[in-house]
Amino acid sequence: SNLMAGHANSRLFQLLRDQLGLVYFVNSHLQMTPTHSMLAFVCSVKPRHDIILKVIREIELNLVHLTSHKISSKELEAIKTFSILQYKMSCESSHFQTLQNLLSYYFFSQLFTVQDLALQYKTITTQDIQQEAQRMFTRENFHVAMVM
């Protein structure tokens, strides 16, 4: 999720906002359960059909590209650092931490600390990212829903 969108250095933020000027904002959210997962993108865009279609096409092209090209080690390390810091900051919210604890206990029968997360992130490789992209980002798994 943080690789593609969510912060100013993410791939889609740089492409869709900085390079192409198609969106004002782009973010992504990954939701996972034991049986399925969903990666959702949220974009703030002018309500013009041609712009919306370009944004959707660029998102799809970037997801497909991720299935056939490994990310760089430098980009992976930056994502790991950003994700851990983001999690640490969000843990300062007691409501967020309560929700995280409930979800991790429900799905994994254990609670995860920031240190647990950091240890798990250290083991992720660029090959892992590409393999997961190949599993998730197939044409039959790509669905679009728009809310205006």
Side-chain angles (χ1 to χ4, degrees), residues 31-126:
Q31 296 180 347
M32 297 178 72
T33 70
T35 58
H36 70 280
S37 58
M38 177 182 76
L39 178 60
F41 295 95
V42 178
C43 300
S44 175
V45 61
K46 289 181 183 178
R48 285 186 24 208
H49 190 259
D50 61 324
I51 293 175
I52 293 169
L53 290 177
K54 285 179 186 176
V55 169
I56 292 169
R57 182 70 179 144
E58 289 298 332
I59 290 172
E60 183 179 15
L61 287 173
N62 271 271
L63 294 176
V64 169
H65 183 266
L66 193 59
T67 66
S68 58
H69 297 82
K70 287 184 186 177
I71 65 171
S72 70
S73 297
K74 181 179 177 182
E75 189 175 20
L76 179 60
E77 289 308 312
I79 295 162
K80 289 178 183 182
T81 300
F82 177 82
S83 298
I84 291 167
L85 291 174
Q86 182 183 42
Y87 187 79
K88 282 181 181 179
M89 289 189 313
S90 55
C91 284
E92 293 176 4
S93 163
S94 61
H95 296 293
F96 178 83
Q97 187 59 47
T98 300
L99 177 61
Q100 285 299 110
N101 286 342
L102 287 172
L103 290 174
S104 66
Y105 190 76
Y106 177 76
F107 290 123
F108 306 107
S109 299
Q110 69 183 69
L111 301 178
F112 294 103
T113 65
V114 175
Q115 292 80 11
D116 294 333
L117 182 68
L119 288 173
Q120 288 178 359
Y121 278 8
K122 285 183 180 180
T123 66
I124 297 172
T125 66
T126 58

Side-chain angles (χ1 to χ4, degrees), residues 124-139:
I124 297 172
T125 66
T126 58
Q127 181 67 30
D128 294 334
I129 299 291
Q130 186 179 20
Q131 286 175 344
E132 190 62 19
Q134 289 168 345
R135 187 186 67 77
M136 288 179 67
F137 306 140
T138 61
R139 186 69 190 130

